[in-house]
Structures are given as structure tokens and as C-alpha cells.
Amino acid sequence: MTDTVSSLLAEIADIGRDPARGGYTRPVHSDAEHILREWFVGHATARGLDVERDRNGIIWAWAGGVGPDAVVTGSHLDSVPGGGAYDGPLGIASALVAFDQLVARGVGGRPRAIAVFPEEEGSRFGVACLGSRLLTGALDPDRARSLVDSEGTTLAEVASRNGLDPRHLGPDPETLGRIGTFLELHVEQGRGLVDLGEPVAVGSSILGHGRWRFSISGEGNHAGTTLMGDRRDPMVAAAQTIVLVKTVARSIPDARATVGRLVPVPGGTNVIASRVDLWLDLRHPEDALTRYLVDEIASRAAAVAAEEGCTVEVTEESYSPTVDFDARLQDQLCAVLPQAPRLSTGAGHDAGVLKQHVPTGMLFVRNPTGVSHAPSEQVEDADAEAGALALAACLEMLATA
Ligand code: GLV
Ligand code: MN
Ligand code: MN
């Protein structure tokens, strides 16, 4: 194969473009994500890999047999709304090119596979890393089946429509047991490598992170006939909650807190909302401080809501503590890539979920803008190829160690 990472990404450059924001909107089980999955399966099949889809919708493309103790690399093809071209697809395209390298060098050894994880971003059903959480048992399958998208369609229904039996979603120890080592390559989502002047880094840790839904309820009413003093307007409480999220997060070093989504119900220009749902994404290296921050935000939100005659219900939708990648594996990767610095990340990844079960590591590729989850996320062609070469070298070391 003569594919490069850049040529592979160019093939999917028109798929799932977001007309409003620019960039890409490729939610799980959308037409765009299905085209990308077929694109991957086509490339895997053309390389003679054995492709299967497991009961949680994860695609596996195997070389040299199916596990056990396999060296697995992979990432995801779904995106956030209006995301960049590289978050996810870079890891998949790099895996294909790295596998080509291994074939060209005649590398044998342990079985190896490329995995494509569904709904890594949680953009459709709200829970990030849904596929790896189901695989590992980190997400209760009953809860997963009842997750709904913005149209009110359950994951169970969407799974059925897409050829998966929703009764079989959930922990899959047999499939998980095939993985001996997992290594994910990902675009860096900050400026660490730019500042260090290096194209590739070895991942050291993932910041603890979680998502909480704040449902603020008031009284729906008429915008023209309801006097200002008579209102119980959850939108006003929501606005104050967003401001206090910033204030509380700034009071604790290293905290990162975001409200990126807010849904008024019903959402009409001349309608005082009955309810506003907003989602808090909160991250901190120390679990105890994350808990403190959420509790503090929740209690202050309840107070500002009460002043507006509203109530707040807080639901934890997901939580992942800080993950330190396998120390021995980090050392092995750094020995293969002596120039590569070690970098931690504030972004979540399937690698963070898998780390709880198998030796897991990550490689990051330089992003000159340092921006991610936005159209201006960037990777230079030369860095993309350097990343694939680095991945190939690490996979070779792992397959033959
Ligand atoms: C995924 O990219 C996340 O960090 O939310
Ligand atoms: Mn990602
Ligand atoms: Mn992402």
C-alpha cells in the first residue's frame, strides 16, 4: 500500500462537513459516521485484515490471528459538533499506515489489531467513551440501553436499527481479554508539543473528568403578559449558574469547568421556559477536588435558582478519575522514541477507560494551533507521517518484545 496519513484523511475530507460552524459533525450512527466506518472497513479488508464488529459496535481489524495477548491500536471516527478533522480519524489513518509499515518490514510476533470505538465523544448519547465503557463494564448496560439522543431515541433503538442486538450490549470479557497492550495515537489537543518543538509525545496521564446535567425547573409562561416580579424563569437561574461555574472553578488551581450545552424547554422567543437543562463538564487532577467543585457549584446553583423561584436537579452522567498510563509501557515507548517528551492531557480517551484493564499508552502528534473540538484543529502533513512512523516503531517493539 502506498497510502499516507494525509492521503487517507483527504479521502474523507468531504464527509460530515458542518455547514453552520465549519469542521465536521459526525455523531455515532449518523450517515457520516457510517460512511467513515465503511471507509475504514474497505481499507482494512484491502489489507487482508480480518474485520469483525463486536456486540457493542466496536470494529476490530485483525492481523496474525485474533488475540490473545494482541497488540491493539485504534481510536474513533465520531466527532463533536463542528469538530476538527483529526480528533479520532488521525489515530485510525495512522494505524492503517503503521500496519503497512509492519507488513513492509515483515514484522510478525503477537497478533495485532486496529479498533474503532463508537461514540467516543458522547456527542449523541451524552456518555463519552460509550463503546469502551460498555466493553469493560464501566457502564451499566441497562442504563446504556435507555440513554436518549436529542430526538428522544434510545440507544437500544439506534443499536437495533444498526444491526446490533441491544440485549447483548455490555461487558464482553472475551473480547477485552484478547487485548494484551493498547496504544492510541491522537492529535494533541493543546500546545505542549508546539512549545517543546517536537512532533510526537508519549502520553503520561489523562485529567480526571466528568459530566453533570443540571435541570433547572421554573414556571413556563407568556413573555408579554407575565410581570417581571411574577416570574419563575429558569433561564435567568441558568445564566447565573453559568457565571458561578466560572467563579467557583477559578477558585481552585488546575480546575477546568465548561458549560457548552444549554437546552431550554420548550425554547421559544416569546415563551418563558419551563425548564432549562445545562451540562457541566468539569475536570481536575484530584478526585476529591472535583467532588468538592461539583458540590459547591450545585449548592450555589440551588441558591441562585431559589432566588428566582426555581429548583435544580443535578445528575452525574459520567465520571472518570485521573488516569496515569502504565509506567513500564511509557518507559518502553520512550526508549523507542528517545526524542519524544512525556505529556499529560486534559482530554478524555478510550485509552483512559482501557487503562483500568490492560497496559495502555498513548502517543500525541503536534497540533500547531493547539485548538481542538473546533475546525481550526490542525496537523502538518510531515508530523502526521512522523506520528505513523512512531506508532509503527512502537507497535513493532510491542509485537516482538
Ligand atoms: C473528549 O475529547 C473529551 O475530552 O471530552
Ligand atoms: Mn478523540
Ligand atoms: Mn474529542
Side-chain angles (χ1 to χ4, degrees):
M1 296 285 166
T2 53
D3 290 323
T4 62
V5 178
S6 313
S7 72
L8 287 169
L9 292 177
E11 290 174 7
I12 55 172
D14 291 333
I15 311 300
R17 282 199 179 269
D18 187 298
R21 193 196 199 196
Y24 296 94
T25 295
R26 297 161 166 169
V28 68
H29 289 309
S30 61
D31 289 349
E33 199 241 11
H34 282 170
I35 293 170
L36 296 195
R37 282 168 165 259
E38 282 163 22
W39 163 83
F40 170 73
V41 169
H43 274 291
T45 308
R47 285 161 169 80
L49 304 180
D50 291 322
V51 180
E52 59 180 11
R53 189 173 66 153
D54 72 16
R55 53 197 172 85
N56 290 307
I58 303 165
I59 301 175
W60 303 85
W62 292 95
V66 176
D69 200 28
V71 178
V72 181
T73 186
S75 197
H76 60 101
L77 292 169
D78 63 293
S79 78
V80 296
Y86 302 92
D87 179 354
L90 182 72
I92 300 298
S94 302
L96 288 166
V97 172
F99 270 41
D100 292 345
Q101 293 276 335
L102 299 185
V103 170
R105 288 186 219 150
V107 174
R110 293 159 67 184
R112 51 186 185 256
I114 304 173
V116 180
F117 291 94
E119 182 71 325
E120 189 267 0
E121 301 288 6
S123 298
R124 181 161 182 186
F125 291 102
V127 177
C129 301
L130 186 75
S132 56
R133 283 187 208 267
L134 282 167
L135 169 74
T136 57
L139 176 64
D140 173 48
D142 283 333
R143 193 186 146 216
R145 280 185 278 270
S146 62
L147 291 170
V148 286
D149 66 10
S150 58
E151 308 292 309
T153 312
T154 63
L155 176 65
E157 289 170 86
V158 171
S160 280
R161 273 185 221 154
N162 289 283
L164 292 167
D165 186 336
R167 292 170 304 176
H168 296 159
L169 294 175
D172 187 348
E174 192 189 329
T175 301
L176 182 61
R178 295 170 176 168
I179 310 174
T181 310
F182 183 72
L183 179 61
E184 177 169 359
L185 178 146
H186 204 278
V187 60
E188 201 208 338
Q189 296 172 283
R191 293 186 50 84
L193 282 167
V194 176
D195 294 343
L196 293 164
E198 289 292 334
V200 176
V202 171
S204 56
S205 64
I206 294 180
L207 192 63
H209 56 284
R211 298 178 181 189
W212 291 263
R213 185 178 70 241
F214 284 55
S215 288
I216 307 176
S217 297
E219 183 181 50
N221 212 329
H222 192 291
T225 59
T226 315
L227 299 180
M228 295 312 285
D230 290 344
R231 296 175 181 224
R232 297 198 291 120
D233 185 347
M235 190 62 97
V236 176
Q240 295 183 72
T241 299
I242 292 166
V243 175
L244 72 85
V245 163
K246 175 180 163 183
T247 309
V248 173
R250 284 195 166 197
S251 71
I252 300 289
D254 298 328
R256 294 163 199 191
T258 307
V259 177
R261 184 152 72 106
L262 175 141
V263 178
V265 178
T269 306
N270 55 351
V271 179
I272 298 169
S274 305
R275 193 181 86 226
V276 173
D277 291 335
L278 62 86
W279 282 263
L280 170 68
D281 177 309
L282 192 122
R283 310 188 188 212
H284 193 278
E286 286 175 51
D287 297 341
L289 282 175
T290 304
R291 297 291 172 196
Y292 161 78
L293 284 160
V294 174
D295 290 349
E296 184 67 12
I297 290 168
S299 75
R300 291 209 206 175
V304 297
E307 278 173 32
E308 300 299 327
C310 298
T311 56
V312 184
E313 193 184 316
V314 180
T315 310
E316 181 173 300
E317 296 200 333
S318 63
Y319 182 65
S320 305
T322 291
V323 165
D324 292 313
F325 286 120
D326 189 88
R328 180 166 171 265
L329 180 56
Q330 280 186 55
D331 290 344
Q332 289 175 303
L333 301 174
C334 287
V336 176
L337 308 172
Q339 304 296 323
R342 294 184 204 223
L343 273 190
S344 62
T345 179
H349 301 283
D350 293 300
V353 177
L354 292 172
K355 160 63 179 51
Q356 314 299 334
H357 302 269
V358 290
T360 294
M362 287 192 78
L363 299 179
F364 298 123
V365 176
R366 176 164 54 192
N367 170 358
T369 65
V371 174
S372 189
H373 286 185
S376 56
E377 179 183 84
Q378 188 54 27
V379 173
E380 300 291 347
D381 289 354
D383 286 356
E385 307 316 326
L389 282 178
L391 179 63
C394 293
L395 295 176
E396 178 171 357
M397 175 273 293
L398 292 167
T400 55

